[in-house]
Amino acid sequence: MSTPTTPLQPADAAPPTRDLARAILERYAAFVGSRRLIPITRAHIDGCLYHGPASLDFVRAMVRSGATVTVPTTLNVGAIDLLHPQLFRGRPEIVEAGRAMMREYAALGCRQTWTCAPYQLAERPNFGEQIAWAESNAIVFANSVLGARTERYGDFIDLCAAVVGMVPEVGLHTDEGRLGRVLVRVRGVRDAMMRRDTFFAALGHLVGMRTGTSIPVIDGVPHATEDQLKGFGAAAASSGAVAMFHMVGVTPEAATLGEALGNRAPARTIDVGPDDLRAAARDLTSTTDMTLGAVSIGTPHFSYEEFTRLRALLAGRAVSRAMEFFVSTGRDTLARIDGEGWGDELRASGVQLVTDTCTYVTPILTGRPGVVMTNSAKWAWYAPNNLGYAVVFASLEECVESAVRGVVWRDNAPWGAE
């Protein structure tokens, strides 16, 4: 790398004037085995979601010490939908703490984007940029699809990186750390199936389960849209801890299989066929109950392109009054569709639009009897244990048709046809 660097100082020889953020970052660098810090061009902070007093105390201490971010910094979801606060169904004290925390991050100079999909914003990282993004799906998308370079950064480290403007040179920030390790060969799957969003979600879920923290190289999937890559990466980061993947012929650092693997043999090879994908899709459905209580989509946040599909699928029809339909999205995307009149059109059809947060991380669903249907492998994977909901995983088309009919409707033909 040609970027200027800063050698680390011994941890016990820190100058007394060093600020808190840099001290924490240098300790962290030593822990992960990095010998120097490198500059970053931007940051995305995941730690702005209220998890308890410690998370608020930390950012408040930063603000009161006079700290500000030194690189353009965007914010992940918070605890509250600031544009639609009436949607929150939790305790009042959480509302107060969540709002306070969001104010503190704004005071640091962060841009109030409140989205888990910062790659959908107008300004996003270029290929090769060194950045510090947190939030699992944002990390995997930045590394894999954009070719920007970020490691997995947890709460507090992301804020320290934004304040200092530097990160440890290690792992995915290096050429060597970005090479694929596990080869995933997709074979025997029809092209029509591989064009469906559910294919990418199921494959991502399967890859995450089988590869864990390794960098997988997917061979045999010749095409994908950005939203399909988003769904794949989010699923792989949820069921495993995948922070980067290569898809041969699709993602920017995998023009060939040899390039993705650094011309080395893979440490392991996994073959995936139609039966494996059907099993992965079934794994994401946690119930046989077909009584529908709600549909929740937009995890990660719904994109403008997905709204065009949703609008066409509803086509003037209305969501059944027997259930609820939530779409989580970023406020920038909402402003865009509102500008085109789509927001009011969708609201009139019974769609409830959620911004600044997500139905997966904060209490918004009213708990109506029945299952929750989603097209998100991430939502389907976490919701049964984290939220206590029974989940049916399905395509966007199936979710919309079910919402209109008021009962779970499935089209198994695409899976069964393989």
Side-chain angles (χ1 to χ4, degrees):
M1 289 177 289
S2 60
T3 49
T5 57
T6 300
L8 295 176
Q9 300 181 42
D12 58 356
T17 56
R18 187 173 62 191
D19 63 46
L20 176 63
R22 185 169 184 108
I24 293 173
L25 199 62
E26 291 191 350
R27 293 275 183 163
Y28 172 72
F31 177 76
V32 298
S34 174
R35 301 181 63 181
R36 60 182 182 178
L37 301 179
I38 56 173
I40 55 171
T41 54
R42 66 186 82 206
H44 181 73
I45 293 178
D46 185 42
C48 46
L49 177 65
Y50 180 75
H51 286 299
S55 56
L56 177 55
D57 291 345
F58 185 82
V59 64
R60 184 170 280 161
M62 283 285 187
V63 172
R64 290 180 178 174
S65 74
T68 58
V69 296
T70 59
V71 295
T73 301
T74 49
L75 292 169
N76 207 61
V77 296
I80 309 298
D81 182 342
L82 297 174
L83 301 182
H84 316 93
Q86 73 280 4
L87 292 174
F88 185 81
R89 305 182 63 80
R91 303 195 308 273
E93 58 268 30
I94 301 300
V95 175
E96 182 179 351
R99 283 183 179 276
M101 193 158 168
M102 294 168 88
R103 283 196 300 271
E104 298 289 0
Y105 274 99
L108 285 170
C110 305
R111 184 184 166 203
Q112 298 187 68
T113 50
W114 309 122
T115 179
C116 64
Y119 43 85
Q120 293 173 357
L121 299 170
E123 293 183 358
R124 62 184 193 177
N126 294 312
F127 182 86
E129 269 193 55
Q130 297 284 7
I131 63 175
W133 272 18
E135 206 288 325
S136 60
N137 101 87
I139 293 166
V140 72
F141 193 96
N143 280 315
S144 313
V145 183
L146 302 182
R149 298 185 171 203
T150 181
E151 257 295 340
R152 284 179 286 257
Y153 292 111
D155 290 1
F156 305 155
I157 297 299
D158 50 5
L159 173 55
C160 293
V163 169
V164 177
M166 305 189 91
V167 294
E169 184 186 42
V170 70
L172 296 168
H173 288 287
T174 69
D175 293 342
E176 173 67 20
R178 300 175 66 81
L179 296 176
R181 294 288 183 270
V182 178
L183 174 60
V184 179
R185 298 188 299 195
V186 179
R187 298 290 187 264
V189 182
R190 295 180 180 178
D191 185 70
M193 185 66 246
M194 286 199 286
R195 292 185 181 278
R196 295 175 65 89
D197 297 347
T198 44
F199 163 77
F200 287 91
L203 179 61
H205 177 68
L206 182 66
V207 167
M209 292 285 287
R210 295 193 183 180
T211 64
T213 59
S214 300
I215 298 179
V217 179
I218 317 303
D219 184 47
V221 180
H223 43 69
T225 67
E226 279 207 358
D227 282 324
Q228 289 169 338
L229 294 172
K230 174 184 77 170
F232 173 89
S238 300
S239 63
V242 174
M244 181 176 183
F245 66 88
H246 297 288
M247 193 169 284
V248 178
V250 176
T251 54
E253 292 170 67
T256 65
L257 180 60
E259 179 180 304
L261 291 167
N263 294 314
R264 299 181 303 198
R268 189 158 54 98
T269 298
I270 300 170
D271 288 325
V272 172
D275 288 344
D276 302 297
L277 292 165
R278 279 191 283 268
R282 284 196 299 271
D283 193 39
L284 291 168
T285 291
S286 62
T287 180
T288 57
D289 187 357
M290 294 292 110
T291 305
L292 186 60
V295 170
S296 181
I297 58 179
T299 308
H301 275 169
F302 223 50
S303 70
Y304 177 83
E305 289 73 22
E306 288 173 314
F307 272 113
T308 66
R309 292 176 56 200
L310 174 61
R311 184 167 171 257
L313 289 167
L314 276 172
R317 299 187 295 169
V319 172
S320 167
R321 293 180 180 275
M323 47 79 64
E324 299 174 304
F325 194 119
F326 295 98
V327 181
S328 299
T329 191
R331 54 171 57 190
D332 282 36
T333 301
L334 178 64
R336 187 177 177 186
I337 68 165
D338 271 339
E340 302 193 21
W342 297 1
D344 285 341
E345 181 183 308
L346 292 169
R347 293 183 189 97
S349 296
V351 174
Q352 298 189 65
L353 299 169
V354 180
T355 58
D356 302 342
T357 187
C358 178
T359 57
Y360 148 65
V361 298
T362 205
I364 288 180
L365 274 67
T366 62
R368 289 192 184 193
V371 305
V372 181
M373 208 165 177
T374 183
N375 67 339
S376 165
K378 180 174 183 176
W379 211 99
W381 180 245
Y382 285 127
N385 289 327
N386 290 5
L387 305 176
Y389 289 111
V391 177
V392 173
F393 168 72
S395 68
L396 177 62
E397 289 78 6
E398 291 168 305
C399 288
V400 172
E401 190 61 33
S402 298
V404 171
R405 297 185 184 202
V407 296
V408 172
W409 176 82
R410 304 299 303 271
D411 177 13
N412 291 318
W415 293 106
E418 298 298 333

